[in-house]
Amino acid sequence: MSAAGWMVVVAPVAAFVVLTSVLWSRRPDAVAPLRLAVVRAALLTGVFAVLTVELLGALRALTLPAVAVAWLLFLAATVAAARPWQRRAAVASAAVAPATRAGTLVGAATGAPASGAGPAATPDSPAGPPDAVPPPASVPGGLASALAGVRARLAHFRGTASRGERLLAGTVGGLVLVELLVALLAEPNNFDSQTYHLPKVEHWVAQGSLDFWPTAIHRQVTIPPGAEYLLLHLRLLTGGDALHNLVQWAAALGCLVVATRVVAQLGGGRRAQLLTAFLLATTPMVALQATSTQTDLVAAAWAGCAGTLALDGLRRRADVGSLLALGAATGLTALTKTSGLLAVGPLLVLWGVAQLRLAFRPASTEVVPVSETGGAGSASTSPVPAGSGLAGSTPTGSASAGSGSAGEGRGGAGVVRTVAGSLLVLLVAAAVVGPFLARVTVEFGHPLGPPRLRESIPMERHDPASILVNALRIGHTAFDTPLAPLRAGTAGAIADGSRAIGVDPQDRAITFGREVFPVPAWYPDEDRVAFPLAGTLALLGALFALARPARISPTGPAALRAYAVAVVVAVGLHTATIKWQPWGNRLLLYALVAAVPLAGLWLDALLRHRLDSGRRSVAAGLVVSMLAASALAGVLALSYGFPRRLVGAGSVFTTSEWDTRFLRRPQWAEEFRWAAAAVRASDARRIGLVQQNDNWEYPWWLLLRDVEGRSPELVALQSVLPERPPADPASVDAIVCTGSRTACAKLVPAGWTLEFRDYVGYARPPGR
């Protein structure tokens, strides 16, 4: 890879940073404006990446020069857009009252609130995170001002945070940095990535387009490719997979951003947001997937973006920018993992109902009261408090930026506006995911792919008894612990109970493939590790949010309850539509990210309520114990988790590159090398593939590259795509096989030499 290519990799990051400064909201009632800007910048960058792949793929121009030019143009456009934005921001900053600016500066430096912002934050008050404090200039005025604002927020946090809050923030920051180290050091070694995530990227690079290809592994073409589109950019720019793990690492950061902003939107202060970030960051599934090339965190991050944007719609009418962002989040979720729509759907319904209510509400109710600016203890009349956090984040009593237009389009016209906005959201989502669905529909006659895909994962029975049994089994696997007697006892009770209501606990219509319930899921493995602590706390948070929302969020109980209903509905839809499977816990990540804010709010409420001293100390002790257990789980997952760990056998510090790739199946490493060496020695140019649906294909793309690093010409000798016939074995120079010797032998032409070990084999014609 050339140095120029590596330099271009910086362009997407630079464009994202510039976009964040450009999209930093100047609305006085904006909740956590820096995080909102991050969400918007991420969505715009993600949509650009997706549409670039689609356009270049249609032109058969998926090449390094084309992708590099696209990103450089994108960066130039963002920088050009930042200049007029900076001038407008400077004018707005000059219009801010000097007293307000002075009060903000004093508050940022000393921790005191700005003038009129209410009392200073106390350990029990809803003090917000650093990004709730405005920068010295009051509004962002370009990148330099944005960076100054970030520094001011960090300074404010250091000056006002309690010891516990610093410990929470330090733990989260430490975990994120360690995950970054692992992501950079470890080679991609996820099982599914070896089978279909990374091979599909290599096929796109080899053919320069997104056209489907003959393959025995249908998931290479039927599973939504949103995360792989992002990997494709890195693959073309760097020439390899050295940075592939960073996509999921960035998605983990995105999940932290959206989860904590949801807490702020629901009235939670700084401590509640830090508790949420801590619980999410220390969840073993999150810590492990943050260093992999799986796709679950990417889907969870996009779904989380949709969730936090939908909550914005509960307290103000959506403008065009908000509608475009919401549509982008929906489309990116659908393009990455369709199961994420099970959470996005209820949240969009919640958003639509709120928009209709606002259409019939008098304009005067859209004024931001003192409590929405972060003042502790103030009353709120708004449907949803801004909850941006730190006291003094905005001038008090200021009208919502949308209130000027809020009075427009009320009543029937407001309904029309809401319907039109909803259609715009759907149109944007369709523009993002539509091209892929169109290709699938043309290929298989159905937008959800072939029958084998539509019948393998979705539930095939939907009677109440079957759904109940499926939900109990999913819950059992998600809440699994190392206590074997507990696992056996609860699994036995579920099996007996299911038979009592006439449902076979192993029914294929509600069970994936040939898997058998139960399975141990407590071990820190990225594909199946359970989350009993975070899950239990989220469940308790949801129950209390439904039953006693005012106790958890005094300033926004209605919004809290509505959000909890949406989360519960999402989990219910998941258990009613997706079969139980041993690795189903990772499929629940999007729901966990949506639910953890409820846990953070509930834990904060336990600490906040001033009960009698004895009960208060007990509550505090329970919270500390749960947090300690969560921290231990996260640290152990990073230290000893599989298949990437810091210490022990398989450590990223002591294991070679090739052995790291094969930690899932170490016995296959030498076999792949042996077969690839024989094929390379034969000077084969066109190589046939023989494999089954769950075999590893990616090692061939690595081992059979030419001396200049160009992709080999690999063609499938089997195909599950009716319109894509396989290559003729007689047309290839050599054959490589995985899985079944019998299947390989059937396709080897007469007179060829077949060599096969336990899992890998190859065949060559006479004379080679």
Side-chain angles (χ1 to χ4, degrees):
M1 174 60 194
S2 65
W6 276 96
M7 290 177 63
V8 176
V9 174
V10 181
V13 179
F16 170 79
V17 173
V18 175
L19 278 174
T20 300
S21 70
V22 170
L23 298 174
W24 199 332
S25 175
R26 292 179 291 164
R27 298 177 65 114
D29 65 332
V31 182
L34 174 56
R35 280 170 285 173
L36 177 58
V38 169
V39 168
R40 291 171 171 174
L43 290 171
L44 184 54
T45 305
V47 168
F48 175 81
V50 166
L51 296 184
T52 297
V53 168
E54 291 287 358
L55 177 61
L56 295 180
L59 298 175
R60 306 190 68 83
L62 286 173
T63 62
L64 168 59
V67 170
V69 168
W71 279 114
L72 292 175
L73 290 175
F74 184 66
L75 175 59
T78 58
V79 172
R83 291 176 179 175
W85 182 272
Q86 184 174 2
R87 289 194 295 268
R88 290 195 299 269
V91 173
S93 179
V96 176
T100 302
R101 290 202 302 268
T104 302
L105 281 168
V106 172
T110 67
S115 174
T122 67
D124 292 324
S125 68
D131 78 319
V133 181
S138 179
V139 291
L143 184 57
S145 180
L147 294 176
V150 172
R151 288 194 295 269
R153 287 158 172 75
L154 293 176
H156 181 88
F157 178 80
R158 289 193 297 268
T160 61
S162 66
R163 182 179 301 175
E165 290 171 341
R166 292 181 182 181
L167 182 60
L168 291 173
T171 302
V172 173
L175 288 173
V176 168
L177 291 177
V178 173
E179 289 162 4
L180 174 61
L181 177 65
V182 175
L184 291 173
L185 290 179
E187 287 71 30
N189 60 0
N190 173 263
F191 194 103
D192 285 348
S193 296
Q194 306 278 15
T195 300
Y196 68 96
H197 289 311
L198 300 186
K200 72 169 66 173
V201 174
E202 295 300 326
H203 278 284
W204 294 333
V205 172
Q207 63 191 25
S209 73
L210 301 176
D211 294 344
F212 290 164
W213 54 89
T215 179
I217 304 173
H218 76 86
R219 291 175 293 173
Q220 291 183 356
V221 296
T222 57
I223 297 294
E228 290 88 341
Y229 280 1
L230 305 181
L231 293 176
L232 175 60
H233 287 275
L234 293 177
R235 169 64 177 86
L236 287 171
L237 292 176
T238 66
D241 58 17
L243 301 182
H244 279 10
N245 292 333
L246 294 186
V247 170
Q248 281 264 106
W249 179 80
L253 289 182
C255 289
L256 294 176
V257 168
V258 297
T260 54
R261 185 169 189 266
V262 166
V263 175
Q265 291 171 291
L266 296 176
R270 178 167 66 197
R271 185 174 59 197
Q273 295 169 54
L274 288 173
L275 286 168
T276 298
F278 182 89
L279 287 175
L280 192 58
T282 55
T283 298
M285 178 68 77
V286 175
L288 290 170
Q289 284 225 10
T291 64
S292 80
T293 47
Q294 263 294 6
T295 62
D296 304 286
L297 277 177
V298 179
W302 295 136
C305 290
T308 191
L309 294 172
L311 283 180
D312 279 337
L314 268 64
R315 62 194 187 95
R316 72 164 68 97
R317 299 303 304 276
D319 55 21
V320 174
S322 299
L323 295 172
L324 294 175
L326 194 55
T330 303
L332 289 170
T333 301
L335 186 64
T336 303
K337 222 175 187 68
T338 51
S339 56
L341 295 177
L342 298 176
V344 175
L347 289 166
L348 287 179
V349 171
L350 177 61
W351 173 86
V353 171
Q355 291 290 291
L356 289 174
R357 291 185 63 188
L358 290 173
F360 291 95
R361 179 164 294 177
S364 60
T365 62
E366 292 188 31
V367 174
V368 183
V370 173
S371 66
E372 290 197 301
T373 68
S378 346
S380 174
T381 58
S382 174
V384 179
S388 59
L390 285 169
S393 61
T394 60
T396 62
S398 59
S400 166
S403 62
S405 61
E408 302 174 4
R410 300 216 170 254
V415 173
V416 173
R417 174 182 168 182
T418 300
V419 173
S422 302
L423 290 176
L424 179 59
V425 169
L426 296 178
L427 285 174
V428 173
V432 175
V433 72
F436 168 71
L437 293 181
R439 289 193 297 274
V440 173
T441 302
V442 170
E443 191 71 31
F444 301 103
H446 195 288
L448 297 182
R452 65 184 301 174
L453 177 63
R454 303 198 304 270
E455 296 169 2
S456 61
I457 297 177
M459 290 270 286
E460 298 177 77
R461 291 179 56 178
H462 297 93
D463 56 285
S466 296
I467 293 174
L468 175 61
V469 171
N470 195 53
L472 290 173
R473 295 183 306 165
I474 289 175
H476 179 274
T477 305
F479 290 85
D480 190 25
T481 69
L483 303 176
L486 178 62
R487 180 190 312 119
T490 53
I494 292 173
D496 294 340
S498 64
R499 295 188 186 95
I501 59 176
V503 178
D504 180 0
Q506 313 300 344
D507 186 353
R508 295 302 101 187
I510 61 174
T511 305
F512 181 85
R514 301 179 181 178
E515 306 300 328
V516 177
F517 172 83
V519 296
W522 64 268
Y523 183 79
D525 183 303
E526 67 172 356
D527 283 338
R528 63 173 64 192
V529 62
F531 34 83
L533 187 56
T536 299
L537 293 175
L539 177 60
L540 290 172
L543 292 175
F544 277 93
L546 294 172
R548 305 184 68 180
R551 186 176 178 85
I552 297 177
S553 179
T555 58
L560 175 61
R561 178 177 280 166
Y563 181 78
V565 168
V567 172
V568 170
V569 169
V571 175
L573 290 173
H574 185 100
T575 59
T577 57
I578 297 180
K579 296 176 178 178
W580 175 87
Q581 48 191 283
W583 42 90
N585 288 342
R586 65 180 181 81
L587 303 183
L588 275 169
L589 258 183
Y590 73 92
L592 181 69
V593 171
V596 165
L598 300 175
L601 286 164
W602 178 65
L603 288 177
D604 181 62
L606 285 180
L607 297 174
R608 186 175 67 246
H609 291 302
R610 298 189 177 279
L611 307 176
D612 62 90
S613 59
R615 293 175 60 188
R616 182 173 175 78
S617 63
V618 170
L622 287 175
V623 171
V624 170
S625 298
M626 289 184 287
L627 295 179
S630 185
L632 179 62
V635 171
L636 289 177
L638 272 179
S639 300
Y640 298 99
F642 196 74
R644 291 165 304 280
R645 57 175 52 170
L646 293 173
V647 297
S651 166
V652 294
F653 297 113
T654 60
T655 308
S656 68
E657 172 189 345
W658 193 248
D659 290 337
T660 297
R661 296 181 184 278
F662 282 85
L663 282 175
R664 285 284 186 190
R665 297 292 186 272
Q667 67 275 20
W668 295 348
E670 184 53 38
E671 292 191 28
F672 270 99
R673 277 181 161 173
W674 159 76
V679 170
R680 287 198 308 270
S682 68
D683 293 326
R685 304 279 183 170
R686 180 176 166 90
I687 303 165
L689 283 173
V690 179
Q691 54 196 359
Q692 287 72 58
N693 186 56
D694 207 30
N695 290 171
W696 285 17
E697 179 181 313
Y698 186 57
W700 298 126
W701 291 97
L702 298 176
L703 290 168
L704 297 175
R705 290 180 182 177
D706 62 22
V707 293
E708 297 181 1
R710 288 190 295 263
S711 298
E713 185 181 1
L714 294 177
V715 296
L717 302 185
Q718 311 139 289
S719 179
V720 294
L721 277 66
E723 304 300 322
R724 309 278 174 174
D728 183 351
S731 69
V732 300
D733 303 323
I735 296 173
V736 291
C737 312
T738 51
S740 170
R741 179 188 179 98
T742 302
C744 184
K746 291 180 179 179
L747 292 170
V748 173
W752 284 38
T753 301
L754 172 62
E755 299 286 343
F756 208 97
R757 292 188 177 178
D758 291 334
Y759 180 75
V760 177
Y762 69 90
R764 296 182 298 187
R768 283 187 177 267

